[in-house]
């Protein structure tokens, strides 16, 4: 028997400082990057998964052998797979072709069922189709429990409980906090906490071009993690001071710049840091800037860090990155 629970392995105090000058960028600032990828499940979604499951347990809705289902592009599915295995639940992850092969195999290693939905929804993504698949499963199996991160108040609750306090313990009054937006659970939970304890902090939400979450025009997206093709219900509660959109070209370019300096991060992190680079001229020198890094780059070795994949989707990107000279 394990002496402790794997879900106890949530590390909230891992930060590094990134001087943007070292990336060959003209923006002269340091960013404190909060690395969430060293916890069980290897992403910030471990907090979401743990909090949602614990709330169901406290409500008496789960018992040994309970069956859970959720839609995920990867990280939440992996976190739920690990925690479900730990606690004796069966888990089904409903994903799409953008799911990395590595994440797929890891979920299956934990004993999860993985379903890939190949049909596009009306906005050119897969989220709507994934949710329709879950709805059909729920009609067939009334004992199946859908966690529903898109409408579940316990999604932002996880980040009001964990992530917000972790930031403030390290930086009591940050000037800026940059948060990538998928379901908007992290954004909503962190902003709720910061509004209470550090109301002067500027909260900058980061979305990807092609996402409809905040009324953007739908478009094809290749990098999982940020953005949606269907507005999540909890997005109605999202609080921010600014909203920045980033192209996937800039996302991948930033990820590759960081890799060239020894830091392999996921697509969401690249998007957030690219937003800071674009936003940087508006930030006063010496400001305390915190950015959330939801996961590391090991799940992206077949996509963002695969040269053939990048050349096919983003022609000319690699040549530009490889020619940069650090300032």
């Amino acid at each position: 028997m394990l002496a402790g629970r794997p879900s106890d392995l949530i590390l909230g105090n891992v930060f590094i400082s990134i001087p943007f000058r070292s990336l060959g960028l003209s923006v002269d600032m340091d960013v404190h990057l909060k690395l969430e990828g060293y916890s069980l499940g290897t992403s910030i979604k471990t907090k979401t998964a743990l909090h949602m499951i614990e709330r169901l347990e406290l409500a008496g809705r789960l018992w040994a052998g309970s069956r859970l289902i959720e839609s995920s592009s990867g990280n939440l599915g992996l976190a739920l797979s690990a925690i479900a295995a730990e606690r004796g639940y069966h888990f089904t992850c409903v994903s799409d072709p953008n799911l990395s092969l590595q994440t797929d195999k890891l979920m299956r290693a934990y004993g999860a069922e993985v379903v890939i939905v190949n049909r596009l929804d009306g906005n050119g993504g897969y989220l709507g189709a994934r949710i329709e698949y879950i709805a059909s499963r729920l009609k067939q199996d009334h004992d199946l429990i859908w966690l529903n991160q898109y409408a579940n108040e316990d999604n932002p609750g996880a980040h009001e409980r964990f992530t917000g306090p972790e930031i403030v313990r390290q930086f009591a009054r940050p000037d800026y906090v940059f948060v990538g937006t998928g379901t908007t659970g992290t954004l909503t939970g962190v902003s709720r906490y910061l509004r209470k304890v550090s109301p002067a902090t500027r909260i900058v939400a980061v979305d990807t071009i092609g996402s409809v979450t905040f009324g953007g025009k739908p478009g094809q997206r290749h990098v999982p993690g940020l953005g949606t093709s269907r507005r999540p219900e909890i997005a109605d509660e999202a609080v921010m001071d600014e909203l920045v959109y980033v192209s996937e070209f800039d996302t991948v370019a930033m990820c590759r710049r960081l890799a060239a300096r020894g830091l392999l991060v996921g697509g969401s992190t690249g998007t957030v840091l690219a937003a800071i680079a674009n936003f940087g001229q508006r930030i006063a020198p010496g400001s305390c800037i915190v950015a959330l890094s939801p996961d590391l780059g090991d799940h992206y070795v077949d996509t963002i860090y695969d040269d053939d994949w990048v050349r096919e989707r983003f022609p000319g990107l690699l040549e530009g990155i490889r020619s940069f000279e650090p300032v």
Side-chain angles (χ1 to χ4, degrees):
M1 174 180 280
L2 297 177
R5 283 183 161 181
S7 57
D8 294 335
L9 300 175
I10 293 180
L11 303 180
N13 61 348
V14 183
F15 290 81
I16 61 170
S17 182
I18 298 179
F20 267 36
R21 285 279 186 179
S22 71
L23 303 177
L25 299 168
S26 59
V27 181
D28 188 10
M29 65 174 67
D30 291 349
V31 175
H32 304 292
L33 190 63
K34 189 177 191 303
L35 296 175
E36 299 282 352
Y38 292 104
S39 297
L40 172 76
T42 67
S43 81
I44 197 170
K45 293 293 188 177
T46 303
K47 298 170 181 176
T48 310
L50 179 65
H51 190 66
M52 289 195 300
I53 285 179
E54 286 187 342
R55 296 290 290 178
L56 285 172
E57 291 172 338
L58 286 171
R61 295 186 58 196
L62 295 181
W63 52 88
S66 288
R67 297 191 305 281
L68 308 174
I69 192 167
E70 181 59 291
S71 160
S72 172
S73 61
N75 281 337
L76 181 61
L78 181 55
L80 285 168
S81 298
I83 295 173
E86 172 196 278
R87 302 190 180 205
Y89 310 135
H90 181 269
F91 173 61
T92 298
C93 179
V94 181
S95 194
D96 59 58
N98 288 328
L99 177 69
S100 79
L101 179 61
Q102 182 182 10
T103 303
D104 186 321
K105 289 183 175 180
L106 286 169
M107 287 193 286
R108 295 179 193 273
Y110 282 118
E113 175 191 11
V114 180
V115 175
I116 302 298
V117 174
N118 292 288
R119 180 173 59 84
L120 292 170
D121 61 27
N123 285 324
Y126 295 99
L127 178 55
R130 284 169 16 199
I131 291 175
E132 287 176 6
Y133 174 85
I134 291 176
S136 70
R137 288 282 297 265
L138 293 173
K139 288 180 181 179
Q140 298 166 14
D141 184 352
H142 297 294
D143 291 328
L144 193 61
I145 297 173
W146 180 23
L147 292 156
N148 193 3
Q149 60 172 320
Y150 312 103
N152 190 335
E153 176 59 29
D154 293 325
N155 179 351
H159 303 288
E160 190 172 8
R161 171 186 175 187
F162 292 115
T163 313
E166 290 165 356
I167 292 171
V168 172
R169 278 197 292 270
Q170 194 76 19
F171 304 99
R173 298 289 185 270
D175 296 300
Y176 290 87
V177 173
F178 284 76
V179 186
T181 59
T183 64
T184 70
T186 305
L187 170 66
T188 301
V190 168
S191 62
R192 278 182 189 166
Y193 186 81
L194 289 175
R195 284 288 188 259
K196 289 186 290 187
V197 303
S198 182
T201 298
R202 301 284 293 176
I203 299 164
V204 183
V206 181
D207 203 357
T208 184
I209 293 174
S211 167
V212 305
T213 302
F214 299 108
K217 183 179 178 180
Q220 186 177 32
R221 292 174 289 114
H222 303 288
V223 180
L226 294 191
T228 66
S229 60
R230 171 190 174 274
R231 179 178 168 86
E233 290 82 353
I234 60 172
D236 293 339
E237 303 176 23
V239 177
M240 70 199 84
D241 296 298
E242 305 271 357
L243 173 63
V244 179
Y245 282 97
V246 174
S247 73
E248 289 194 332
F249 188 100
D250 288 345
T251 291
V252 177
M254 180 61 76
C255 288
R256 301 294 289 240
R257 285 178 180 270
L258 290 163
R261 290 293 170 264
L263 180 62
L264 209 66
V265 297
S268 300
T269 306
T271 306
V272 169
L273 292 177
I276 296 174
N278 295 335
F279 193 87
Q281 301 300 331
R282 301 165 60 183
I283 298 177
S287 295
C288 177
I289 306 165
V290 177
L292 296 186
S293 170
D295 62 356
L296 299 179
D298 50 334
H299 297 163
Y300 301 82
V301 293
D302 294 321
T303 55
I304 291 172
Y305 299 107
D306 180 86
D307 287 356
D308 291 336
W309 186 91
V310 173
R311 286 192 188 97
E312 179 181 345
R313 292 160 180 81
F314 307 101
L317 186 151
L318 292 179
E319 291 71 21
I321 294 301
R322 286 172 177 162
S323 65
F324 91 84
E325 292 292 336
V327 176

